[in-house]
Amino acid sequence: MNDLKFSLRLTEGIVVVDLAGRIEIGESSSAVRQILHTLIEEGKRRVLLNLADVTALDSSGLGTLVAGYATFEKNGGRLKLMNLSPKVAELLNITKLYIVFDVFDDEAEAVTSFYTIKDQLKQPLETHAVRIVGDSSVL
């Protein structure tokens, strides 16, 4: 049985995913994976997971978050976390994953962080082909 509920909303161009319930092995972990995969397919590159109402997170759920983070990074996006419960925060601390994820307690601060210089630098640069015209002996 899937105890996980979610809703999506757009805040200043950032997709906020509000999650509630347990993210554990099975349907709930798969549901989070599917949500993140769908957002990537739709071209959404800035996503904030609101974990305020997540009551449990096991190793499978944690793996899903890490895989989601890696997928967003690989596709030029950013996945950030917000409003961790004490249990989820402790799990990120024990596993040292707090150094991987950007984690926020305040939604406004989290949303603003997507527009900072530091975050902009993590976005892939556009590449352009350059054609050199002229006498190569001058080089």
Side-chain angles (χ1 to χ4, degrees), residues 27-134:
E27 289 180 36
S28 61
S29 188
S30 294
V32 172
R33 186 177 301 110
Q34 185 58 46
I35 292 164
L36 297 176
H37 182 73
T38 299
L39 290 170
I40 284 287
E41 283 182 343
E42 292 175 352
K44 308 297 189 223
R45 296 293 184 260
R46 295 175 175 165
V47 175
L48 181 59
L49 296 181
N50 181 5
L51 304 177
D53 295 322
V54 171
T55 56
L57 180 70
D58 70 3
S59 60
S60 177
L62 192 58
T64 297
L65 296 182
V66 171
Y69 177 88
T71 300
F72 272 84
E73 289 285 317
K74 180 178 144 189
N75 287 282
R78 301 290 289 145
L79 177 67
K80 299 183 182 191
L81 308 179
M82 164 176 81
N83 296 329
L84 305 184
S85 70
K87 286 183 180 182
V88 173
E90 181 182 13
L91 183 59
L92 285 180
N93 191 35
I94 290 169
T95 59
K96 306 284 191 241
L97 287 171
Y98 63 88
I99 62 174
V100 173
F101 290 101
D102 289 336
V103 179
F104 299 88
D105 292 326
D106 178 72
E107 183 169 328
E109 182 184 354
V111 168
T112 301
S113 77
F114 282 94
Y115 297 104
T116 64
I117 296 294
K118 177 184 167 190
D119 198 66
Q120 296 295 328
L121 292 174
K122 291 183 180 180
Q123 299 300 319
L125 298 175
E126 291 183 35
T127 56
H128 301 279
V130 177
R131 184 172 158 223
I132 299 174
V133 179

